[in-house]
Amino acid sequence: MIIPYLTALTTYFSYGLLFAFGQLRDFFRKSVDWWSASTLQGYAPICLGLEDFYIRRLYLRIQDCFNRPISSPPDAWFDVVERVSNDNNKTLKRTTKVNRCLNLGSYNYLGFAAADEYCTPRVIECLKKYTPSTCSTRVDGGTTILHTEMEECVANFVGKPAAIVFGMGYVTNSAILPVLIGKGGLIISDSLNHNSIVNGARGSGATVRVFQHNTPSHLESVLREQIADGQPRTHRPWKKIIVVVEGIYSMEGELCKLPEIVSICKKYKAFVYLDEAHSIGAVGKSGRGVCELLGVDTADVDIMMGTFTKSFGSSGGYIAGSKELIQYLKYTCPAHLYATSISAPAAQQIISSIKVVLGEDGSSRGAQKLARIRENSNFFRSELQKMGFEVLGDNDSPVMPIMLYNPAKIPAFSRECLKRNVAVVTVAFPATPLLLARARICISASHSREDLLKALEVISTVGDMVGVKYFPAEPNKQQVEVGQVKKVD
Amino acid sequence: MANLYVRAAPTTDLNRNTEWFTYPGVWSTYILILFFSWLMVLSIFACSPGMAWTVVHLSHFFVTYQFFHWKKGTPFAEDQGIYNRLTWWEQIDSGKQLTRNRKFLTVVPIVLYLIASHTTDYQHPMLFFNTLAVFVLVVAKFPHMHKVRIFGINADQ
């Protein structure tokens, strides 16, 4: 990431100022509260020390930029409910007014978020036949024929012998990692991995080490150091080593350097766990994810995990691997044994959307969607870069964060875009590092060329107003040519 | 100045409270803040430059002692309180001692002390307070004082 030096200095200064003001207000609040009597004598405080400082003094000031309620399916255009605040953003109240806005924030990569002509009638029929909930765990009475069909479908799509599906994507990571590895094992995870992986790794009891984001050389040095050292105090060899990486990192839009990482793991005999939450269905020629895009054989990746919330318009997560692995997970994973199974209409949506993507529904809509999302992402990214924005992410990736840096630009960008009926998602601390605040744009296959042009126009105007065009803009060659032609005439 | 770009290398520090200190531009911002606060003190109080440096040095002592060596934990709850017993100084660089950042932060109060004493011509009572401040700050930053709580001051319940 390339940061202009002056921006770095002003960002540190802004955060320092916000911190100082927050401390000053806390000091006065404490003095005022000392005089008023408390009704709860002898109870411990809910928040220890400074724990809620960030929420009270920084997040609540710009609360209206986050958690905006919507009142329609998250298609390319959707309805955003307006909220008002009477006490300077401490509390927000919904009004009955809605704005029709262009959706640049939903993970709707293939456009399955709204009603689809193939999927929705089948889902409604399934809802009437199987009812919304199975009301049971997979082992008790919650496995219908839809569930078995869905697991086969997913395994075929991903390219592995077998798969197991859970009702929630977050739970897939945090309940599987403790089952796969325990005390005496080593988990090496990328420094920017999602919170679900961090949670699962902490809950497993294994030793966790972190390697520099997407740097295979650092991964190799961490592996060598850890294998040479062994377990923490006994120095015995590790029981198992798992390296956890993601396909597309949701906050960076970057693809993982999978071929190098897989070859390093093969050399040192570590297992590879690939989390394809954002890349399955969105990249690759037939939508099979980052393995297809980068040319990695799926037999080399030991455990492939993904979610259905992003490209398939459903809910839930899956793990795909060898038949022995999936059989083992079926008897030990608590999410399979004790959690309610994924609801039947959601399973039907998964099956239908995979059929559309593979073209098995008899039309070429799947291939069209995949081509459209690739074209849209590449067009949008190159146009933004030409305008002078600092856009992260690799080509072909549908996630593009625009760097904002200064804390004041976060609410400015968000509110100005909303005024012009474009809804963007701005991400600040703690999802990103403190200084690297960004506006994250997710392109969908249901965005048409006009939608993208409108979005570009709005973002360009707002970018000029807010001052986020950190790089020099490329001069528009076409305009110069037209001018010359006019002069000749 | 506006065209100068720096490259931010990704860090491996998982503690969001301290990883901002590893990005470029922090040291310059720190020094610039000290310099501008000296100018502000000079313009508000209209005192001699030496007194202004003494004021800056002592307020720097109070602020850095409070936030680096007294307050423990992190200002957010996402890390579930694993750093609740550690002050900010003990958290940076994941507890590794004698890194570049730590050496820089130890040198700054010493340089401020030298400037303050020199510009006040080593007169008492300013010299006494300045010396006390720099002594406390530097001892607090020694590697041997990592996680040490003298007489149980600031220890947990």
Side-chain angles (χ1 to χ4, degrees), chain A residues 1-6 8-10 12-13 19 23 30 48-55 190-192 195 198-199 202 208 210-213 215 218 429-436 470-472, chain B residues 1-14 16-17 19-30 32-33 66-67 71-84 157:
Chain A
M1 197 161 322
I2 305 177
I3 313 177
Y5 198 59
L6 195 59
L9 297 182
T10 51
Y12 288 115
F13 177 69
F19 187 75
Q23 292 287 339
K30 235 188 335 194
L48 207 53
L50 270 188
E51 234 174 38
D52 53 350
F53 177 79
Y54 171 74
I55 302 244
D190 190 289
S191 66
L192 294 177
N195 189 267
V198 173
N199 223 325
R202 284 201 187 137
V208 182
V210 158
F211 71 95
Q212 235 175 35
H213 174 62
T215 318
H218 193 242
F429 192 78
T432 61
L434 189 66
L435 303 162
L436 307 177
Y470 293 119
F471 288 164
Chain B
M1 180 66 166
N3 276 337
L4 217 64
Y5 292 102
V6 280
R7 186 168 284 278
T11 58
T12 51
D13 194 352
L14 279 182
R16 288 283 159 92
N17 190 23
E19 56 140 18
W20 58 272
F21 211 74
T22 58
Y23 285 99
V26 201
W27 292 8
S28 317
T29 314
Y30 191 10
L32 283 174
I33 290 182
Q66 160 81 348
F67 292 116
K71 280 259 176 268
K72 295 192 284 200
T74 50
F76 39 82
E78 274 77 20
D79 54 9
Q80 295 175 344
I82 43 180
Y83 301 110
N84 273 353
Q157 304 84 336

